[in-house]
Structures are given as C-alpha cells and as structure tokens.
C-alpha cells in the first residue's frame, strides 16, 4: 500500500507544500533573527511582559535545549524557550516567545479549541503509526474490520490537526496584538513578526492537508475491499 506509487502521487501536492513551508520557516527565521527589535527586549522578557499583562502570574519561563524547540508545557505551566529565543533580542526571538506565551494565555483562558485539542492528544498520539499498521495488516490479512479500526484511529489524527489550526492561528494573533500593545515591537515591526509566524502557520496547514489526503486514500483503499 505505502509502496503504491498512487499513494505518493496522491499525497504529492501536500508533501511538497510541507517541504516548501519548512524552507520558508528556516529562511524567515534566519532573516528575522538578524533584525533586532528596536525595544531591545529579549524573548524571555517579551514573554514575561505578555504573561504579566494577561494576568498569568503562575507560568514559568525556562531555557530548553535544541534549535527551535520552543513550546509551552501545559502540565507544568512552563514556557520552554530555546537559548536563541530566550536570550535573543531579534524580531524572530520576540515573535516566537510571544507565540508560546499566546499558548499559555489560551490555557489560562480555557480557550475552547485548545481544550478540545488536549482531549484528543492521547488518542491521536497513538494514532498515526498504529493506525497505519492496522490498515496494512487488515488489507494484507483481508480482515476488513481491522483495517476500518485503523481508519477510525487515523481519523483522530486528522481531527487533532484540524483543531490544532485555530489553536496555532489564535496564538500568533494574540502574540502580534500583545507585542504591539505592550510596546515590545512597533506597528512598523509587526509585519516582520508576521513573516516568521505566518511561515510557521503554513507548516501546520501542510500537515493538516497531508493528513486529510492520507485519510481519503485509506478510506478509498479499505472500502474498495469486499473480500
Ligand atoms: Zn504554537
């Protein structure tokens, strides 16, 4: 099934969009990490300012290891920022730090798509690999029910990706609004912040498209089997 050229031809456009988005993220990050924010604020300071402004006083900010490893950990209520973002004073650094702070603010406000996303995580986490194993086994062994269980499990991955989109777009929107409002970046600098955050958003769009096309392919594959 995965060796079927049709599978790759069908997924091709979404996979190419994903590669293009990755290239755009890298180039936008490289470009904007050389442009200093005029306020002179670091990523960590920017995140702290946004969190304070939003009344999120219980969220910690730590350095994480690894390039672009920035994330918000809702279980421990900690923003983990890569060294470059934590200590950086560039447009890229404050933009990424603010995006992660946006997730912490969503968490504090119980933003509905985030609550739904977190509820799907345990199933979707299992999903993608196990689903494909079940579909392949179901098709090879001609156990259609097994293949359908795999398809349903894979649908949870698609659901996760779909609900992840508003979560990511909203975090970036909050980040940009708050960066300007709190004076970390000027209205003129906002377009540069948008360049970095929009490139990152495109990678999520590509991942969602890929998952949707995979699901359509799996459904057509399994429904075509009546033996
Ligand atoms: Zn995010």
């Amino acid at each position: 099934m995965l060796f079927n050229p049709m599978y790759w031809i069908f997924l091709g456009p979404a996979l190419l969009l994903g590669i293009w988005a990755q290239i755009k993220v890298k180039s936008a990050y490289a470009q904007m990490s050389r442009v200093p924010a005029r306020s002179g604020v670091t990523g960590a300071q920017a995140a702290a300012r946004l969190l304070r402004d939003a009344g999120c006083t219980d969220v910690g900010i730590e350095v994480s290891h690894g390039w672009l490893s920035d994330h918000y950990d809702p279980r421990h209520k900690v923003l983990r920022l890569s060294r470059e973002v934590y200590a950086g004073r560039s447009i890229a650094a404050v933009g990424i730090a603010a995006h992660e702070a946006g997730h912490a603010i969503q968490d504090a406000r119980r933003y509905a798509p985030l609550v739904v996303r977190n509820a799907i995580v345990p199933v979707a986490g299992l999903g993608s690999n196990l689903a494909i194993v079940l579909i392949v086994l179901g098709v090879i062994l001609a156990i259609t029910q097994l293949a359908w269980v795999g398809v349903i499990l894979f649908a949870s991955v698609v659901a996760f990706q779909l609900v992840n989109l508003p979560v990511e777009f909203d975090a970036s929107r909050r980040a940009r609004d708050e960066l300007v409002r709190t004076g970390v970046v000027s209205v003129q600098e906002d377009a540069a912040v948008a360049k970095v955050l929009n490139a990152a958003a495109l990678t999520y769009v590509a991942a969602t498209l890929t998952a949707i096309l995979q699901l359509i392919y799996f459904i057509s594959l399994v429904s075509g089997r009546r033996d």
Side-chain angles (χ1 to χ4, degrees):
M1 173 184 79
L2 300 178
F3 308 105
N4 184 343
M6 273 312 291
Y7 178 71
W8 299 104
I9 292 167
F10 189 64
L11 289 188
L15 294 175
L16 287 178
L17 181 66
I19 293 167
W20 186 62
Q22 288 293 340
I23 294 169
K24 271 194 72 159
V25 165
K26 288 206 174 106
S27 81
Y29 181 80
Q31 188 192 353
M32 292 308 164
S33 60
R34 288 192 300 267
V35 178
R38 264 174 255 143
S39 63
V41 168
T42 66
Q45 288 167 342
R49 204 183 275 194
L50 266 61
L51 291 172
R52 204 182 324 121
D53 195 61
C56 301
T57 48
D58 60 339
V59 178
I61 304 175
E62 295 174 358
V63 178
S64 75
H65 302 284
W67 192 69
L68 290 185
S69 57
D70 311 86
H71 65 279
Y72 168 63
D73 175 352
R75 270 184 48 207
H76 300 102
K77 299 219 179 290
V78 171
L79 285 189
R80 299 220 172 79
L81 304 176
S82 60
R83 194 166 297 282
E84 295 78 6
V85 168
Y86 187 95
R89 295 173 195 275
S90 68
I91 290 289
V94 296
I96 292 168
H99 172 92
E100 299 309 332
H103 285 311
I105 296 167
Q106 288 173 334
D107 188 28
R109 302 272 148 85
R110 296 268 166 269
Y111 176 63
L114 183 74
V115 174
V116 175
R117 187 186 80 167
N118 291 347
I120 303 174
V121 166
V123 191
L126 257 176
S128 92
N129 294 326
L130 181 62
I132 292 175
V133 169
L134 293 180
I135 296 167
V136 170
L137 276 180
V139 169
I140 291 174
L141 303 175
I143 307 171
T144 309
Q145 290 88 338
L146 188 65
W148 277 120
V149 171
V151 169
I152 290 163
L153 197 53
F154 196 82
S156 73
V157 177
V158 174
F160 171 84
Q161 296 283 6
L162 281 174
V163 79
N164 191 39
L165 289 181
V167 173
E168 294 301 337
F169 280 98
D170 177 81
S172 287
R173 186 191 56 74
R174 279 178 209 262
R176 288 176 55 196
D177 287 354
E178 290 299 301
L179 281 174
V180 173
R181 218 169 65 81
T182 56
V184 176
V185 307
S186 65
V187 176
Q188 290 76 24
E189 290 174 307
D190 174 57
V193 174
K195 202 169 174 179
V196 176
L197 297 184
N198 289 348
L202 192 61
T203 64
Y204 293 111
V205 173
T208 307
L209 256 179
T210 304
I212 290 171
L213 290 180
Q214 278 180 293
L215 180 63
I216 293 171
Y217 183 87
F218 294 149
I219 289 173
S220 71
L221 183 85
V222 177
S223 61
R225 311 228 147 210
R226 284 274 161 262
D227 43 338

